[in-house]
């Protein structure tokens, strides 16, 4: 007499493993929602206004990263390395489109060149929300580049959320410097 329970049990075990993997992947997802229209009503500010040396006045255990948006190296020429965003927004402002177009031209001329776009936020909002918003900012710059013909495998988008501030302090000036995406060669 043959037992038919064994194939059934192995199918059951396989199904159980697949369901467990699906549950695990579902748990890794974020339920943070970012409004596509967020920030549209926010006042537009001059992101270059009030830039300082990156040393804030607020006490914090997070050390700010010094970001000089005018700094250039031979690989970048005169192209800006930083794109600033309005509060709670990941919409690329018109004032940064020429710089992004310059990076697209540079990348299209050298298909072997790769860059990384780092998305950052100010300290307002929860950690998970800020990581998601930083990713949306990086991806907005990435999408702008790919729409200009850059190969998707040349651009990597990552988020640091609020973890690497350019300036410390609880002022609008400091927050404006932290709401950014940085373009770096890989």
């Amino acid at each position: 007499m043959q037992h038919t329970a064994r194939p059934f049990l192995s199918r059951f075990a396989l199904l159980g493993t697949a369901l467990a993997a699906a549950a695990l992947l579902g748990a890794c997802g974020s339920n943070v929602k970012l409004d596509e229209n967020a920030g549209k009503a926010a006042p537009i500010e001059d992101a270059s206004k009030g830039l300082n040396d990156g040393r804030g006045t607020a006490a914090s255990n997070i050390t700010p990263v010094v970001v000089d948006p005018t700094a250039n190296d031979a690989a970048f020429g005169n192209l800006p390395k930083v794109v600033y965003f309005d509060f709670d927004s990941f919409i690329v402002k018109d004032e940064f489109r020429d710089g992004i177009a310059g990076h697209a031209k540079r990348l299209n001329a050298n298909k072997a060149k790769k860059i990384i776009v780092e998305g950052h936020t100010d300290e307002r909002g929860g950690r998970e929300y800020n990581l998601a918003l930083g990713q949306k900012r990086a991806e907005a710059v990435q999408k702008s580049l790919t729409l200009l013909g850059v190969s998707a495998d040349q651009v990597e988008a990552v988020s640091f959320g609020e973890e690497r501030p350019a300036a410390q302090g609880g002022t609008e000036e400091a927050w404006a410097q932290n709401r950014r995406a940085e373009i770096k060669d890989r």
Side-chain angles (χ1 to χ4, degrees):
M1 197 173 185
Q2 287 208 329
H3 294 283
T4 57
R6 192 169 203 72
F8 174 75
L9 287 176
S10 64
R11 282 190 208 123
F12 182 72
L14 183 60
L15 178 63
T17 303
L19 289 174
L24 181 62
L25 288 174
C28 292
S30 172
N31 61 359
V32 174
K33 293 186 177 152
L34 293 176
D35 183 3
E36 296 272 337
N37 297 317
K40 284 190 176 178
I44 296 178
E45 60 206 43
D46 181 0
S48 63
K49 180 174 60 176
L51 293 178
N52 63 26
D53 63 0
R55 289 179 284 177
T57 57
S60 174
N61 62 353
I62 298 175
T63 304
V65 176
V66 177
V67 177
D68 184 356
T70 61
N72 296 307
D73 58 31
F76 281 92
N78 291 322
L79 296 175
K81 294 182 186 182
V82 183
V83 175
Y84 292 99
F85 293 87
D86 287 329
F87 172 72
D88 201 30
S89 174
F90 54 90
I91 297 169
V92 176
K93 297 188 231 178
D94 288 338
E95 66 192 88
F96 298 105
R97 296 198 186 272
D98 288 342
I100 291 172
H103 283 285
K105 190 174 185 178
R106 178 176 74 97
L107 291 167
N108 285 326
N110 183 357
K111 294 294 186 180
K113 175 67 79 184
K114 295 184 183 222
I115 63 167
I116 187 164
V117 181
E118 298 177 350
H120 301 273
T121 67
D122 61 37
E123 63 196 40
R124 297 173 289 180
R127 184 177 188 278
E128 187 174 319
Y129 179 83
N130 284 339
L131 282 171
L133 180 58
Q135 187 67 33
K136 290 281 192 179
R137 288 175 175 166
E139 289 172 356
V141 173
Q142 179 185 39
K143 184 174 183 178
S144 296
L145 289 165
T146 58
L147 288 172
L148 294 169
V150 174
S151 173
D153 66 340
Q154 286 181 274
V155 185
E156 180 183 358
V158 298
S159 175
F160 289 101
E162 64 189 76
E163 300 302 318
R164 294 186 179 178
Q168 287 186 328
T171 66
E172 183 55 42
E173 179 184 83
W175 292 332
Q177 291 177 61
N178 294 332
R179 296 188 305 257
R180 68 195 192 280
E182 294 184 41
I183 302 170
K184 297 180 176 181
D185 278 340
R186 281 200 295 174

